[in-house]
Amino acid sequence: MALGSSLLASAARALGALETCPACLSAPAGEAGVCEPCRAWLEAAVVSSPPPVGTTCWLGPYAGPWERLVTALKHRGARRLGGLLGRLVALRTSGWGPAPDLVTAVPASPRRLDERGFDQAAVLAAEAARALGLAYRPTLARSRLSLSQKRLSRSARAANAEDAFRATGRVRGRALLVDDVLTTGATARACAAALLTAGAQEVRVAVVARTVRGAAAPRGPC
């Protein structure tokens, strides 16, 4: 069993060496799913960001390297990027107010689960929880089928997300809610409302990228 696991790990590393880094689109990707210069740049960008304020934080704008990383994770099967991005979420949220009691995720729709074979937000949340030394709990579920938010207007997103989520049980203490992208915030607000209704004391939201109008795409090291 140990030999088999070692061979699989070696094969994964070899395959990763053949892939192009999705952050810079030029250098070969390393074990983390990006090249080493991009990994160091992403970590430095998170560390140098101003401390989070309020109840929502993100790693960067949904543009440039951050957009490409999310796209690779969600639409190109680059699941291992969830490990890197989840650890960066943990780095960003460490020390952000009172420590949460649990980490949870915005649940993917059944259709997206079928398409991707995994829930990208759950992967991010589980890795962030592991890095923070906290419990990950999938506390939310879709209470009804809803349309994809991608092409909806701001008002339509809010109406579409309303009552679309429910907690699967009682929630106690402070919750950190993780997702990949924040656009209008309608989905995050609906999930936070469901958690608060289920007993959460506080809900904070952390995402990889946030859509910001007019934001310049950050340039990486490569």
Side-chain angles (χ1 to χ4, degrees), residues 29 36-37 50 53 60 101 121 133 142 157 175 203:
E36 181 55 27
V53 295
D101 298 289
R142 298 258 173 175
R157 283 173 180 257
V203 179

Side-chain angles (χ1 to χ4, degrees), residues 127-151:
E127 188 61 44
R130 188 178 299 112
L132 290 167
L134 298 171
Y136 165 68
R137 287 177 53 199
T139 57
L140 291 166
R142 298 258 173 175
S143 57
R144 60 174 173 81
L145 293 177
S146 56
L147 300 173
S148 169
Q149 297 276 69
K150 190 172 183 179
R151 292 181 174 83

Side-chain angles (χ1 to χ4, degrees), residues 22 33-34 43 62 64 73 89 95 103 145 148 150 174 177 199 211 219:
V34 298
E43 183 173 320
Y62 189 54
L73 172 64
V89 168
V103 181
L145 293 177
S148 169
K150 190 172 183 179
R174 298 180 175 88
L177 176 67
T211 300
R219 298 184 62 182

Side-chain angles (χ1 to χ4, degrees), residues 24-76:
C24 65
L25 301 179
S26 59
E31 290 186 45
V34 298
C35 65
E36 181 55 27
C38 281
R39 187 208 61 76
W41 178 85
L42 292 166
E43 183 173 320
V46 172
V47 170
S48 63
S49 297
V53 295
T55 58
T56 304
C57 76
W58 53 94
L59 304 184
Y62 189 54
W66 296 111
E67 181 179 3
R68 291 194 292 272
L69 288 168
V70 170
T71 299
L73 172 64
K74 291 176 67 171
H75 304 299
R76 296 177 186 168

Side-chain angles (χ1 to χ4, degrees), residues 85-141:
L85 295 174
R87 290 189 293 274
L88 291 177
V89 168
L91 183 63
R92 180 76 172 123
T93 58
S94 179
W96 179 28
D101 298 289
L102 65 97
V103 181
T104 192
V106 173
S109 68
R111 177 185 172 188
R112 295 306 184 196
L113 280 175
D114 288 341
E115 290 176 352
R116 296 169 188 155
F118 68 98
D119 184 333
Q120 76 279 355
V123 172
L124 292 168
E127 188 61 44
R130 188 178 299 112
L132 290 167
L134 298 171
Y136 165 68
R137 287 177 53 199
T139 57
L140 291 166

